[in-house]
């Protein structure tokens, strides 16, 4: 499917000689509190400018809106009302409370006090979610196994690191923007004059202006033995970093645990190696359909059809040559 991805993993096919596993993220949206600490840590470490004047968007309690050249981590705020919850229930998913504490004292006894009497017969089934809830998710570059941006880059500015991540070299990028249209997730963006925030005050001009920009999995930190800034900062461990096989196994176990607790709407995104991008380095646990979080339900790497396209082009070209040859032979007779 991709020029640099095969059965042994993207890092091995890229020619890196190492003995460690592919690295990645596991983002558990069920415990994300929307604090945006990951956004701030990412911007501070990578020296990315702010987005606009930090006004809250009209569509959400958010001030960045989406991933882009300036925002490599973005926490989405998805407000769900009763109508959407009922639609989810009709689709067979039971929405339950996340166990967040209520406000004010309990009606029976002091707050935190254990009820008196025998509790063996108490119904411990998780209660239904009320008529409102927030879904929060910290989005990031997926670091696809089959990365379209990597395949189409004409200058070699995008490379596959020894950790399996996809990294853009700004000093090599010529700003053509081919990678922007090749990303099925809309992650990568060219940092031109229209996207660089005029509110960012710098002592010198940003050297990355006019080049493609996205998450690098904090490659500069990984080579020094440190984890990415976002996962190191996350206070709830909603974002965890580690070996990709271990993270995927933990994610599957987490989904199983939530299903046992009645949260049957939990599912994984990016953990299927047979999807349109060969699986992703960033795996997500979602509590609703991917479209609710702004994610494509069936992402496809645009270079997937290249072998068939080249084959058909070759056949067509051979047919044209044969037709021209036959016409000349017929004319001589």
């Amino acid at each position: 499917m991709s020029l640099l991805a095969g059965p042994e993993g993207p890092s091995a096919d890229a020619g890196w000689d190492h003995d460690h596993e592919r690295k990645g993220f596991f983002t558990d949206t069920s415990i994300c509190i929307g604090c945006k600490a990951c956004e701030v840590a990412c911007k501070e470490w990578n020296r990315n400018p702010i987005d606009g004047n930090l006004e809250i968007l009209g569509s959400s309690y958010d001030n960045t809106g989406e991933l882009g050249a300036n925002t490599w981590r973005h926490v989405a705020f998805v407000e769900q009302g009763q109508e959407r919850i009922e639609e989810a229930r009709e689709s067979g998913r039971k929405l339950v409370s996340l166990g967040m504490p209520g406000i004010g004292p309990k009606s029976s006894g002091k707050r935190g006090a254990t009820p008196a009497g025998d509790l063996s017969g108490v119904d411990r089934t998780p209660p239904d979610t009320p008529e409102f809830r927030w879904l929060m998710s910290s989005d990031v570059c997926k670091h696809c196994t089959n990365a379209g941006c990597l395949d189409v880059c004409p200058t070699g500015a995008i490379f596959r690191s020894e950790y399996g991540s996809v990294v853009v070299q700004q000093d090599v990028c010529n700003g053509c923007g081919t990678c922007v249209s090749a990303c099925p997730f809309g992650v990568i963006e060219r940092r031109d004059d229209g996207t660089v925030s005029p509110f960012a005050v710098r002592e010198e001009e940003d050297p990355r202006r006019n080049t493609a920009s996205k998450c690098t999995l904090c490659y500069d930190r990984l080579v020094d033995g440190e984890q990415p800034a976002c996962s190191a900062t996350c206070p709830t461990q909603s974002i965890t970093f580690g070996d990709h096989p271990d993270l995927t196994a933990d994610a599957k176990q987490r989904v199983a645990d939530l299903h046992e607790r009645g949260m049957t709407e939990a599912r994984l995104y990016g953990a299927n190696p047979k999807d349109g991008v060969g699986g992703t380095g960033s795996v997500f646990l979602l509590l609703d359909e991917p479209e609710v979080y702004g994610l494509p339900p069936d992402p496809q790497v645009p270079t997937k059809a290249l072998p068939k396209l080249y084959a058909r082009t070759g056949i067509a070209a051979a047919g044209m040559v044969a037709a021209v040859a036959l016409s000349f032979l017929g004319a001589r007779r």
Side-chain angles (χ1 to χ4, degrees), residues 183-220:
C183 176
F185 300 97
V187 168
I188 194 167
E189 185 181 49
R190 187 172 57 185
R191 181 174 291 175
D192 55 24
D193 293 338
T195 58
V196 173
S197 172
F199 297 92
V201 179
R202 293 177 178 272
E203 297 179 357
E204 56 186 15
E205 185 177 351
D206 188 354
R208 296 172 294 181
R209 181 172 294 184
N210 299 321
T211 62
S213 185
K214 71 172 191 67
C215 165
T216 66
L217 204 70
C218 281
Y219 180 67
D220 53 344

Side-chain angles (χ1 to χ4, degrees), residues 59-188:
S59 59
S60 170
Y61 285 100
D62 185 14
N63 53 23
T64 50
E66 59 185 358
L67 294 174
N70 300 331
T71 302
W72 297 357
R73 267 279 181 188
H74 170 246
V75 179
F77 287 69
V78 182
E79 180 180 347
Q80 290 193 330
Q82 186 174 8
E83 182 178 355
R84 175 59 199 174
I85 295 177
E86 291 176 354
E87 291 177 359
R89 286 173 176 169
E90 292 175 0
S91 67
R93 294 186 299 272
K94 298 179 180 178
L95 303 182
V96 299
S97 172
L98 297 180
M100 300 299 290
I103 299 177
K106 293 184 178 180
S107 57
S108 59
K110 297 180 179 180
R111 180 181 301 181
T114 302
D118 185 11
L119 302 180
S120 59
V122 175
D123 183 12
R124 289 178 290 180
T125 303
D128 289 338
T129 299
E131 64 279 1
F132 173 86
R133 74 171 181 177
W134 283 102
L135 297 182
M136 299 175 182
S137 173
S138 180
D139 198 8
V140 72
C141 174
K142 311 308 179 289
H143 296 283
C144 306
T145 301
N146 303 312
C149 61
L150 173 63
D151 287 347
V152 303
C153 180
T155 65
I158 303 178
F159 73 96
R160 177 81 65 180
S161 77
E162 66 270 33
Y163 301 101
S165 59
V166 180
V167 183
V168 181
Q169 303 171 94
Q170 267 80 29
D171 57 339
V172 182
C173 177
N174 65 358
C176 68
T178 307
C179 55
V180 176
S181 59
C183 176
F185 300 97
V187 168
I188 194 167

Side-chain angles (χ1 to χ4, degrees), residues 254-291:
R254 173 64 174 166
V255 170
D257 294 341
L258 291 179
H259 285 181
E260 291 181 359
R261 294 166 51 186
M263 299 181 66
T264 56
E265 73 272 25
R267 84 287 308 277
L268 293 183
Y269 184 84
N272 182 9
K274 296 183 179 180
D275 64 12
V277 294
T280 62
S282 302
V283 179
F284 298 83
L285 186 151
L286 306 180
L287 296 179
D288 208 327
E289 299 290 345
E291 299 93 323

